[in-house]
Amino acid sequence: MWYLYTLAGLYLLVPVILKVKNSVKEETFKKICIALFLVASISGRTSSFVLHWSITKVVCYLGYFTAGYQLRKWGEKKNNKVGTLFIILGVIGFIGIAIIDNIECGGHFCLGTIILSLFIFAGFSKVTMTINLDKLSSKTLYIYLIHAFVWNLLSRVVRRIGVDVEAGIMIPIFVFLVFGASYVLSVIYVKLWNSIDEKFLISKKVCKIFE
C-alpha cells in the first residue's frame, strides 16, 4: 500500500508545482523535470527510504509527476503506429532488464526504469483507444488493493514447485498472472458487495449517518 501514501504527498505538493510551472517558460519547466529525474536517480542509488510518505521519497517521484504533464501534451496529436512502437519498445526493455537480473539498479529511480516507463506512458498517450475500458478502469483500485495478497499467495505456490519468481523471464509472466487473478477477484468482490448492499442497504444507512 506504499504508493497511496506517496500519492498523498504528491497531491499536497501540487500547488507548489503549479506555481513553479506558471512562473517559468515551458522549456524551463522541461529542464526542471529532467533535473528532478536526475536527482531521483542519484537518490535511489545512494539512499534508503524508511517512510514512503516522507518528503524525500515524494520529491523523488516529482519527475514522473511532471513528466506526465509533458507527455500528455505530446500525445494530443494521436498516432497509433508511433504509440504502439513506444509501448513495444518499453515492454521489451523491461523484459530485457528482468532477464538480465544481475543489473544493479535504483529500482523505480533507475535511469533505465525511468526511460522505459516514459516510453510506455508516451505510447499510451499517443494511441487512440477504440476499446471501452470503463469496466477495467472502475476496478483499478480493487485490483491494486488485492494484488499484494495474490502476489504473495502465487509466489508461495510457485516456489513450492521449485520455480524462482524473481528469475529472469518469470517476472513479466508473473506480473500478467497476478494482474489477471487480481482482476477476476475484484469482479467477484464487486458483485458480492453489490448484492449485499442491495439487500441490506448498507450504503444508504451509512450516508444517513453523515446527513
Side-chain angles (χ1 to χ4, degrees):
M1 305 304 296
W2 65 269
Y3 190 72
L4 293 177
Y5 302 109
T6 306
L7 191 61
L10 284 171
Y11 283 137
L12 287 172
L13 289 175
V14 166
V16 178
I17 297 169
L18 286 174
K19 190 169 184 179
V20 172
K21 176 192 166 297
N22 294 332
S23 62
V24 299
K25 295 180 180 179
E26 200 68 30
E27 287 299 317
T28 305
F29 191 67
K30 288 180 182 178
K31 292 177 182 177
I32 292 172
C33 176
I34 294 170
L36 287 169
F37 273 128
L38 292 174
V39 170
S41 183
I42 294 169
S43 180
R45 295 183 65 89
T46 58
S47 306
S48 59
F49 303 101
V50 179
L51 301 174
H52 291 295
W53 47 266
S54 67
I55 190 65
T56 50
K57 182 70 172 283
V58 171
V59 167
C60 285
Y61 277 98
L62 282 178
Y64 284 109
F65 202 66
T66 53
Y69 164 77
Q70 304 288 345
L71 293 175
R72 183 186 59 80
K73 290 183 63 180
W74 178 75
E76 287 176 354
K77 294 182 179 179
K78 302 297 181 182
N79 188 317
N80 289 343
K81 291 181 180 179
V82 173
T84 303
L85 177 62
F86 270 66
I87 295 168
I88 291 171
L89 289 174
V91 171
I92 290 173
F94 273 120
I95 292 173
I97 288 178
I99 293 173
I100 309 169
D101 55 8
N102 60 345
I103 294 179
E104 289 188 7
C105 184
H108 300 159
F109 309 125
C110 168
L111 282 178
T113 302
I114 290 170
I115 292 169
L116 294 173
S117 298
L118 294 181
F119 261 64
I120 293 174
F121 184 88
F124 276 108
S125 69
K126 204 74 172 172
V127 171
T128 301
M129 301 299 293
T130 57
I131 304 172
N132 190 341
L133 297 175
D134 287 348
K135 290 184 179 179
L136 177 60
S137 61
S138 65
K139 304 292 188 303
T140 51
L141 177 61
Y142 304 113
I143 292 170
Y144 181 76
L145 295 174
I146 293 170
H147 88 279
F149 165 76
V150 175
W151 179 278
N152 290 332
L153 183 62
L154 285 181
S155 61
R156 288 183 182 182
V157 173
V158 171
R159 285 192 177 101
R160 284 195 174 185
I161 62 175
V163 179
D164 184 3
V165 296
E166 297 179 1
I169 195 64
M170 277 302 298
I171 294 177
I173 294 173
F174 208 68
V175 166
F176 285 110
L177 287 174
V178 170
F179 176 81
S182 300
Y183 176 73
V184 171
L185 288 173
S186 69
V187 171
I188 294 171
Y189 166 77
V190 170
K191 287 185 177 180
L192 284 173
W193 167 253
N194 287 340
S195 62
I196 293 170
D197 190 36
E198 186 177 346
K199 185 176 181 179
F200 297 102
L201 303 175
I202 298 172
S203 296
K204 289 184 178 180
K205 290 177 181 177
V206 172
C207 289
K208 284 184 178 180
I209 296 173
F210 294 98
E211 285 179 355

